[in-house]
Amino acid sequence: MTTLDVHAAPESAPVAADSILFQPIAASSSGFGSLWEVVRISFGSLLANKVRSLLTMLGVIIGVASVVSLLALGNGASASITGEIEAIGTNILTISAGSQNRGPGNATAAQNLTMDDAKAIEALQLPVIGVAPQLNSNAQIVAKSADKNAQIIGITPAFQVVNNLTMQQGSFITDEHLQGANTVIVLGSTLAKDLFGNGQALGQTVRINNQSLRVVGVLTPQGGSAFGSEDDRAYIPITTAQKRLFNARTPDGNGYRVGSITLSAINASDLDALQSRVSMLLRERHHLKLDGSADDFNVINQAEILGTLNTITSMMTLFLAAVAGISLLVGGIGIMNIMLVSVTERTREIGLRKAVGARSHHILMQFVVEAAVLSMTGGMIGLLLGSIIPIVVTQLGVLDAPIDLQTVGVAIGFSLGVGLFFGIYPAQRAAKLNPIDALRHE
Amino acid sequence: MISLRDIHKTYQMGDVLVSALQGVSFSIDKGDFVAIMGPSGSGKSTVMNLIGCLDTPTSGEYVLDGVAVDQLSSNDLALVRGQKLGFIFQQYNLLPRQSALRNVEMPMIYRGVSGAERQRRALAALNLVGMGQRVDHRPNELSGGQQQRVAIARALAGSPSVILADEPTGALDSKTSSEIMELLRRLNQQQGITVVLVTHEHDVAAYAARVLTMRDGQLIGDQRN
Ligand SMILES: Nc1ncnc2c1ncn2[C@@H]1O[C@H](COP(=O)(O)OP(=O)(O)O)[C@@H](O)[C@H]1O
Ligand SMILES: [Mg+2]
């Protein structure tokens, strides 16, 4: 723009120049010298319409409050899930029967993992704490005065070591039990209570599939985990499960199926090496061609699970944030709506300001600042409100959901962005108004 | 000070072209007090809008205080308005929620004048128009005549080259009208401020030193009182 000289052609000195009004005006007509004043004008008109300003902010308040609380809760939940998995151990490798995507230990899956496979893995003398084959099935457990459907897990004594199980009463399944396919059972603590009340479970008999089993042990409560309680399960020798209860003979009749084989590595860092060694062995044993026919078993690496779960939880958090973002968007549209109304209402004011010398950028700035102030203030209030639920939840000990700086940044940044984005259109409309028409506006 | 040469202004209304000004030429000297008269629709407001740099002519030349303003961009026109012109409107056009002082300061905000300087000038201008005792009043606490005085102070405060008033007494009773016209005459005579006003009342025009008469978009009379 060309800068115009106010005093381009002074004609003659003013007649009665005694008044300060005739001193040359000390003005810096640089574009942003008056920015602060324009911001003051914006604040002034927002304060003059307090109720309306508050209602306009409501959408942003709700949006930011939900972004903040959902982000905090989401992050808290994923940290808690990750923590639980890490507690179970990240050094576990589980080989399950069937091809990809079958649950570990599922007895009904296509079966080609056998007891002999487990023994062969054990014979490799790998650096593991234990090799624990298992065969799971659901069945009705019948006691004298109660019965219950429960998960029956056929195991070897190594299972106790691999899973850190401790006994409340009696003992765990032993090698003798295993060799003899003895009809003995170890109950989870809740299951024992369900079947025998507060009475003595040890030494009692229960029936599964018309087979009597003697209770030789009760586990101490293990507590819940992300995958349901381990306390309402029952454990029997895997041989008993294969031969007496669930008839798990292989199709060729020469061996017995297992649902899965769990390896607990001494060092978590060995997991990948163990995985490839075990896979190689099993491919060999299952006569899978080297040219790359698919595995007929499935190996789950606990470290991988952790990674997958992390991905899932962060996707969940992202999804929740997106939902919250939509309400923020709606809030932004609300701001745009009110700003458009405000521009229409104040057409005369805009016309006057332009007539007396306001340039387009002054008017643009005034309305953009108004929108930005509205949404920023809404963002701050939303941040405070949105912190309430995470703080309460954390205080109550339900979930550790801290509000981190990143969340605060996202909230403030988003609300400012929304204000600028949705404020610019109404502000441009205002800035483009023609002063003559605007002054005539009623 | 003001020099219009062969100004034409044509408005387009749908398919119809309305010729509001058809070759208007005149000059106004510094320190003059000019009234523009004429029947409704004769083009008075159109001429005032052009002089006031609120609009640009379809053709013709307009030089204001040494600056050829006829073909400036709208932002440059705004700059010229802020620096050289003071406006007085029929409807006063004060900002309703602001004090008289803030209203008078307002145009100077857009020139980047510092807060202290703005206030000094605004107070001087309010004193000059006899509103020095009412600087903290809001428009709705003032009578029509008082509001128009504040509006005059607003026009004065930025030391404009010209004060432009389109029917400044149109909304006032005759007693208040003459008070306002006395004020404008005093400002013109004592402070040497150039004043151009539009009116269709002879009583009002009688205060001016020179009367321009318009009809059908043309200047048909130019006489000194
Ligand atoms: N914005 C406009 N669009 C179309 N025609 C207009 C516009 N402004 C003024 N006119 C026309 O121009 C002529 C002069 O109008 P105006 O200058 O307002 O007259 P006055 O102020 O003397 O009453 C009138 O015929 C009017 O209808
Ligand atoms: Mg008119």
Side-chain angles (χ1 to χ4, degrees):
Chain A
M1 129 184 12
T2 49
T3 312
L4 295 160
D5 188 350
V6 199
H7 306 287
E11 290 177 12
S12 58
V15 186
D18 52 325
S19 163
I20 57 162
L21 289 177
F22 294 94
Q23 295 167 6
I25 205 158
S28 74
S29 48
S30 73
F32 290 90
S34 46
L35 173 63
W36 170 238
E37 287 300 330
V38 172
V39 171
R40 269 182 59 175
I41 292 169
S42 306
F43 268 96
S45 69
L46 290 178
L47 287 176
N49 288 298
K50 287 190 196 70
V51 175
R52 189 216 272 185
S53 300
L54 197 74
L55 287 175
T56 309
M57 285 187 291
L58 208 58
V60 174
I61 293 176
I62 294 171
V64 169
S66 39
V67 168
V68 168
S69 48
L70 289 177
L71 272 183
L73 292 178
N75 286 336
S78 63
S80 140
I81 292 173
T82 308
E84 267 181 45
I85 291 178
E86 276 167 354
I88 296 170
T90 48
N91 58 338
I92 304 265
L93 205 62
T94 305
I95 304 129
S96 54
S99 57
Q100 297 291 311
N101 303 328
R102 289 192 203 274
N106 189 341
T108 59
Q111 294 298 316
N112 28 31
L113 205 57
T114 66
M115 212 46 195
D116 292 334
D117 288 333
K119 284 180 184 138
I121 292 171
E122 208 156 8
L124 288 175
Q125 303 274 347
L126 297 167
V128 293
I129 297 167
V131 177
Q134 73 183 68
L135 182 67
N136 296 4
S137 193
N138 274 308
Q140 198 73 12
I141 306 185
V142 184
K144 242 194 303 238
S145 52
D147 61 332
K148 191 148 197 304
N149 190 286
Q151 192 163 35
I152 317 292
I153 306 180
I155 41 83
T156 63
F159 188 89
Q160 188 185 12
V161 190
V162 170
N163 289 283
N164 287 322
L165 301 179
T166 52
M167 306 305 298
Q168 189 175 3
Q169 282 180 310
S171 62
F172 201 69
I173 308 294
T174 63
D175 281 325
E176 289 90 84
H177 294 149
L178 192 70
Q179 257 124 53
N182 292 353
T183 50
V184 292
I185 188 164
V186 170
L187 301 175
S189 60
T190 311
L191 186 60
K193 203 160 281 173
D194 287 344
L195 291 172
F196 298 103
N198 289 323
Q200 177 69 265
L202 203 63
Q204 302 276 354
T205 356
V206 295
R207 294 183 71 81
I208 300 171
N209 289 356
N210 278 327
Q211 185 80 50
S212 298
L213 298 114
R214 184 165 50 88
V215 179
V216 294
V218 176
L219 296 172
T220 48
Q222 309 292 310
S225 83
F227 313 108
S229 175
E230 309 200 310
D231 295 334
D232 43 22
R233 294 176 188 163
Y235 302 90
I236 58 174
I238 191 168
T239 45
T240 313
Q242 289 163 334
K243 296 171 185 169
R244 299 188 194 270
L245 260 54
F246 306 123
N247 184 27
R249 199 173 277 279
T250 51
D252 60 14
N254 296 333
Y256 290 98
R257 296 182 283 115
V258 300
S260 66
I261 302 167
T262 301
L263 276 70
S264 175
I266 292 167
N267 295 312
S269 55
D270 292 340
L271 228 49
D272 287 343
L274 286 178
Q275 178 170 357
S276 50
R277 183 71 194 86
V278 168
S279 297
M280 210 166 80
L281 175 77
L282 289 178
R283 289 184 65 84
E284 218 170 278
R285 287 183 52 81
H286 293 190
H287 310 293
L288 298 174
K289 290 201 197 89
L290 289 173
D291 64 6
S293 11
D295 288 350
D296 59 354
F297 55 91
N298 186 22
V299 185
I300 295 168
N301 185 323
Q302 195 78 282
E304 270 174 22
I305 293 187
L306 193 62
T308 310
L309 261 168
N310 278 338
T311 315
I312 293 172
T313 51
S314 46
M315 268 174 61
M316 271 300 279
T317 306
L318 219 68
F319 171 74
L320 292 177
V323 170
I326 289 172
S327 57
L328 206 55
L329 193 77
V330 173
I333 292 170
I335 286 189
M336 178 156 74
N337 199 3
I338 297 290
M339 291 306 296
L340 282 172
V341 171
S342 170
V343 167
T344 308
E345 268 184 8
R346 282 147 70 190
T347 301
R348 257 180 104 90
E349 175 193 326
I350 296 162
L352 171 71
R353 289 182 185 279
K354 293 193 94 172
V356 301
R359 275 159 278 160
S360 298
H361 71 266
H362 291 125
I363 304 295
L364 186 78
M365 188 77 73
Q366 176 182 342
F367 283 90
V368 167
V369 167
E370 263 181 50
V373 167
L374 272 178
S375 62
M376 280 283 277
T377 314
M380 302 281 191
I381 298 175
L383 181 60
L384 291 181
L385 292 182
S387 306
I388 292 176
I389 293 176
I391 287 174
V392 167
V393 162
T394 306
Q395 290 291 321
L396 291 179
V398 179
L399 187 68
D400 206 15
I403 293 173
D404 49 18
L405 264 176
Q406 193 191 335
T407 308
V408 174
V410 165
I412 301 294
F414 259 93
S415 53
L416 181 62
V418 160
L420 291 178
F421 185 80
F422 289 102
I424 212 109
Y425 173 64
Q428 274 175 339
R429 288 252 298 235
K432 273 195 210 131
L433 283 174
N434 166 344
I436 301 174
D437 298 336
L439 274 171
R440 234 186 253 137
H441 185 89
E442 282 312 318
Chain B
M1 171 66 44
I2 289 170
S3 165
L4 300 179
R5 268 190 48 198
D6 197 23
I7 296 284
H8 288 258
K9 181 70 187 180
T10 309
Y11 292 110
Q12 179 141 21
M13 286 190 67
D15 294 339
V16 190
L17 289 178
V18 180
S19 190
L21 295 178
Q22 306 171 24
V24 174
S25 305
F26 61 84
S27 297
I28 295 173
D29 295 331
K30 188 167 185 65
D32 209 347
F33 189 161
V34 178
I36 301 176
M37 294 199 70
S40 182
S42 57
K44 305 184 295 294
S45 293
T46 305
V47 139
M48 281 298 268
N49 288 339
L50 291 175
I51 296 176
C53 294
L54 290 163
D55 210 347
T56 48
T58 311
S59 70
E61 282 170 28
Y62 172 26
V63 178
L64 168 65
D65 208 7
V67 181
V69 289
D70 44 65
Q71 299 303 333
L72 289 181
S73 74
S74 62
N75 260 339
D76 286 345
L77 285 176
L79 211 57
V80 171
R81 290 196 294 271
Q83 291 175 343
K84 293 182 186 290
L85 303 172
F87 289 92
I88 303 169
F89 306 93
Q90 183 176 354
Q91 298 299 333
Y92 330 132
N93 282 333
L94 299 175
L95 297 175
R97 291 201 181 82
Q98 312 242 321
S99 67
L101 184 66
R102 290 288 295 171
N103 264 290
V104 175
E105 284 185 28
M106 187 269 284
M108 290 183 278
I109 288 173
Y110 299 113
R111 298 169 68 178
V113 182
S114 75
E117 172 76 358
R118 280 204 313 265
Q119 189 163 349
R120 208 163 66 97
R121 286 180 167 270
L123 287 172
L126 282 163
N127 276 321
L128 202 60
V129 301
M131 291 297 291
Q133 307 300 312
R134 300 269 197 296
V135 296
D136 291 325
H137 286 57
R138 293 187 175 193
N140 61 4
E141 298 160 350
L142 299 171
S143 71
Q146 288 173 326
Q147 290 186 55
Q148 196 61 299
R149 282 169 189 272
V150 173
I152 292 170
R154 180 179 62 196
L156 277 175
S159 44
S161 309
V162 188
I163 284 188
L164 300 171
D166 194 345
E167 310 211 19
T169 60
L172 300 174
D173 60 57
S174 58
K175 182 169 170 293
T176 320
S177 289
S178 47
E179 283 170 15
I180 292 295
M181 289 314 297
E182 281 295 348
L183 172 61
L184 287 176
R185 177 154 69 186
R186 183 163 61 81
L187 291 171
N188 171 253
Q189 289 181 351
Q190 295 179 4
Q191 314 288 336
I193 296 168
T194 315
V195 179
V196 181
L197 67 83
V198 163
T199 183
H200 50 252
E201 292 170 61
H202 287 282
D203 297 354
V204 170
Y207 285 86
R210 179 184 174 196
V211 178
L212 300 174
T213 311
M214 294 194 62
R215 176 174 294 156
D216 297 334
Q218 285 175 322
L219 193 65
I220 57 158
D222 182 355
Q223 64 206 107
R224 297 222 153 249
N225 282 336

